Amino acid sequence: MIDVEKIRKDFPILNTKINNRNLIYFDNAATTQKPLCVVKAIEDYYLKENANIHRAVHFLAQKATSDYEDAREKVREFIGAKEKQEIIFTRGTTESINLVANSFIKSFVKSKDNIIISQMEHHSNIVPWQLMQNVVDFQIRVLPMNDEGELQIDKLTSLIDSKTKLVSLTHVSNALGVRNDIEKVIEIAHKKNIPVLVDGAQAVPHFSVNVQDLDCDFYAFSGHKLYAPMGIGVLYGKREFLDRMIPYQGGGEMIEHVTFEKTTFNELPYKFEAGTPNVGDTIALKEAINYINNIGYKNIEEYEDELLGYCEEKLRKSGAIIYGKTPKRVGAISFNLENVHPFDVGTLLDQFSIAIRTGHHCAQTVMQHFNIVGTNRVSFAIYNTKDEIDLFIESLERVKTMLY
Ligand code: PLP
């Protein structure tokens, strides 16, 4: 059971008043708010132990290094990776996918090969691959979704051929809140010996992920959607791939030996962590994981499911058009009011102190599929309540009277 009132006390930003009303924050898929323990971890780091890591022998450097590496072990345990060398710290999901796009394509993909993505990807799982087409002449194939917003996984087999080198798909759609059967995707791809990258940005905040159980080959997520700070993210990769991939960026830390003629590279994971990393936020990520673990994913899932079901039913009753049918919605509901631009809805709801997301949600190909300019998206976290949903629906009714 979740004690939501107790949880809300950990997030002072929720006491913000806008237009004399309490803030209702329903933009959690964009970024979650941060609990006090995470903010304190950042403060403690900069007040008590700031130093550059892995290099110096002095006390602060040793302490910062050991806390940074503890955070790596925490992440390993959190997603069930086999070795902590398979955990690479990045700026976020975007950088994690760019890393794989650059290194994987340059290492394993040749002219006329192909990779497969889907129609419901965030731009960060489309554009990095397109950019790499300037380097290697490979093809990007797209797994379609149907009008219910479900991936047509049965079409995957026919998209795969002997030139397919990678499948890269989102675990949960940020635009629709649809959870994909990624287990099935991995099973189909692995039958043909094709590795799979999973974009977990919208998954890990809501349910437990175990990369060994999934048997995915890469898994990417962002700290800031997981109650941790912005600017820290994770790429998990199986050692068998990471070992054979050329580095993404060059610089300090990622080298073993440098001469003007030739450079040899550091071991994993440092080979992929060039330059000074984001030490403070990495340590704060560990605190965020502790925070989630203390609440427990079972409780989080149960509670958020209840919120989502409650909100979806009320939205349907109010006549909203809801996008993405799914047996298991996760985190977000995307909707429109008939003949109303989502920006108008979002702007008016803001007057009622309700923060929702409007627009294409960095998923323009999803909007193209539904032939719409964008949607309104409400997305939930563990500190949201049914009372907030009631207020949101009430406000939406008032918005409707203003607009129609
Ligand atoms: N993938 C998905 C599914 C997302 O929802 C997001 C962010 O909204 C991203 C990737 C990119 O994450 P970030 O901006 O944290 O790198």
Side-chain angles (χ1 to χ4, degrees), residues 313-320 337 393 396-397 400:
E313 196 189 321
K314 292 214 154 196
L315 268 175
R316 278 194 200 284
K317 275 195 189 137
S318 82
L337 300 182
I393 296 288
L396 194 65
E397 290 305 324
K400 278 158 72 178

Side-chain angles (χ1 to χ4, degrees), residues 29 92-95 97 122 124 170 172 174 199 201-202 222 224-225:
T93 311
T94 302
E95 192 176 48
I97 298 175
H122 188 279
S124 62
T170 193
V172 173
N174 68 310
D199 170 352
Q202 299 294 344
S222 301
H224 72 95
K225 296 180 194 290

